[in-house]
Amino acid sequence: MIYLDNGATSFRKPDRVRRAVAEAMARCANPGRGGYGAAMAAAETVFRCREAAAEFFECEAEQVAFTSNCTHGLNIAIRTLVKPGGRVVVSGFEHNAVTRPLHGLGAELMVAGRKLFDWEDTLEEFDRALRQGADAAVFTHVSNVFGYILPVAEMAALCRERGVPFIIDAAQSAGTLPVSLKALGADFIAMPGHKGLLGPQGTGILLCGRMPEPLLLGGTGSDSINQRMPDFLPDRVEAGTVNVPGIGGLHAGIAYLRSVGMDGIHRREALQARRCGEGLERLGMRVFRGDHQSGTVSFVPGGDCEEAAAALARQGIAVRAGLHCAPLAHESAGTLETGTVRVSFGPDASPEQTRAFLRAAAKLPAMES
Ligand code: PLP
């Protein structure tokens, strides 16, 4: 199988990730719950990953909170910053992991910047929305549907200038593009551990630039006499037993990225996405591509997107079709009716993958010209 669905999760994780998961299962009990060897090994496994993540994302170790996925972190962050009925600026490319929690709070959304691959438009619209007054802003670093890399450094600066607290959704960028809590000055940055960071499914990280409100209440192995959640990080948002094998694997994923270099991965993925987009255009598909694009490219074939993905699957190519949990992004791009077929490259991106994909795609119906 040629796996081109890295936007959903990275697949065929590095060997060292699988080994680290198995090792943690063999050696670790519950972290922070005992002073015997297996409990201490668990605490050390978790702490070492926390330290590695802190170095990678430029923050203090205690600002790294482990979550079960990116959605979990976004929910904590949104619940902390947004009061029911609050006014929130979002980009035109948000995932349901952002819009559903906001909808659940009855937030008033100001959607800013709907043009794909257009930094000028994104920044102008974003600034205009902030100037109207907002309680918070939430924006994705990279669109999971179109691979549009948003100008997050500039968006963060605008938020800081206007004193608007903000959350960055780094689901599609952590592990491929630089993400720094210190440089961005974000209130929160949420990310999965299982996509670009190459960790196991069921892992995630919330970087906390401020004290979060806990979503789950329960035991932390600390301050046990107190019936309130601890008022210190990361315990405040880590109630219950954390995913020790997953965190062990996540640490190995981060170590792998450090050893091979994130830059090269991004360049390889983006290059193949570009080649793939050019090839699809030659085949007569409607392709969404432009400047500031990651290793993800979306297209609309002549026929139904789901059928196209199924036809590709029969030829051994794994891609995803539909709305990709991001109806807002499709509304912005005008593809809400059709959805798209999404091709998302991973660290193993290669010209061979692109050629094999295009050979299979050549059998799909093209758009009528
Ligand atoms: N945000 C974006 C942009 C995503 O692409 C995804 C997942 O695809 C999420 C959030 C949610 O991530 P998770 O499945 O880890 O909760």
Side-chain angles (χ1 to χ4, degrees), residues 5-354:
D5 194 19
N6 290 274
T9 197
S10 46
F11 184 56
R12 299 200 189 95
K13 315 282 180 185
D15 285 348
R16 67 164 84 175
V17 171
R18 283 184 273 159
R19 280 200 303 273
V21 172
E23 194 187 318
M25 290 198 71
R27 289 184 54 231
C28 296
N30 206 326
R33 278 28 176 206
Y36 50 89
M40 298 296 277
E44 196 189 318
T45 299
V46 173
F47 184 68
R48 282 177 50 219
C49 183
R50 212 184 296 282
E51 277 197 321
E55 209 180 318
F56 204 60
F57 298 112
E58 299 192 318
C59 62
E60 300 301 322
E62 61 270 19
Q63 291 178 294
V64 175
F66 291 114
T67 57
S68 47
N69 48 45
C70 184
T71 304
H72 180 192
L74 284 167
N75 271 268
I76 295 171
I78 288 170
R79 288 267 163 183
T80 302
L81 292 189
V82 181
K83 302 290 160 266
R87 273 164 75 89
V88 182
V89 181
V90 297
S91 85
F93 299 96
E94 299 308 314
H95 190 276
N96 277 343
V98 167
T99 54
R100 281 183 173 166
L102 289 172
H103 181 81
L105 285 165
E108 182 193 334
L109 294 199
M110 290 184 280
V111 180
R114 286 181 174 271
K115 284 193 192 158
L116 269 173
F117 310 118
D118 187 336
W119 277 19
E120 221 177 284
D121 176 75
T122 300
L123 289 170
E124 253 177 49
E125 292 297 312
F126 191 72
D127 192 29
R128 196 198 318 270
L130 289 179
R131 273 190 274 119
Q132 285 170 35
D135 300 316
V138 191
F139 45 94
T140 192
H141 191 170
V142 177
S143 159
N144 65 306
V145 183
F146 300 104
Y148 172 32
I149 303 169
L150 278 76
V152 286
E154 292 80 354
M155 292 164 87
L158 288 172
C159 288
R160 292 197 307 268
E161 219 173 90
R162 308 232 171 259
V164 175
F166 64 101
I167 301 163
I168 298 179
D169 175 357
Q172 298 290 336
S173 59
T176 39
L177 294 170
V179 173
S180 162
L181 184 66
K182 189 166 123 197
L184 291 162
D187 292 82
F188 296 102
I189 302 178
M191 63 187 72
H194 62 96
K195 298 188 200 259
L197 294 177
L198 307 175
Q201 295 90 327
T203 57
I205 287 175
L206 178 67
L207 303 177
C208 301
R210 69 153 73 186
M211 193 57 77
E213 286 306 318
L215 202 60
L216 275 181
L217 313 181
T220 54
S222 58
D223 199 15
S224 292
I225 190 74
N226 192 348
Q227 285 306 289
R228 295 174 192 273
M229 285 300 285
D231 59 2
F232 51 86
L233 284 168
D235 298 36
R236 189 164 176 76
V237 283
E238 285 186 358
T241 303
V242 292
N243 178 357
V244 179
I247 291 169
L250 176 56
H251 183 199
I254 294 172
Y256 174 86
L257 288 172
R258 293 202 84 119
S259 70
V260 301
M262 201 169 56
D263 256 23
I265 292 178
H266 170 65
R267 264 188 273 116
R268 253 197 325 277
E269 292 179 359
L271 176 65
Q272 293 314 315
R274 201 176 78 224
R275 294 264 154 84
C276 184
E278 290 163 354
L280 283 163
E281 261 174 14
R282 283 195 297 274
L283 293 173
M285 313 294 174
R286 180 176 176 214
V287 184
F288 297 85
R289 59 190 198 91
D291 293 338
H292 314 298
Q293 189 159 10
S294 71
T296 289
V297 62
S298 252
F299 72 98
V300 182
D304 179 71
C305 285
E306 304 279 358
E307 279 172 23
L312 290 169
R314 285 194 294 277
Q315 297 177 74
I317 311 274
V319 295
R320 182 171 169 192
L323 295 183
H324 317 281
C325 300
L328 182 61
H330 287 279
E331 199 183 285
S332 295
T335 49
L336 199 54
E337 295 283 304
T338 56
T340 61
V341 181
R342 178 185 73 179
V343 184
S344 49
F345 286 90
D348 59 350
S350 69
E352 292 74 27
Q353 286 183 344
T354 300

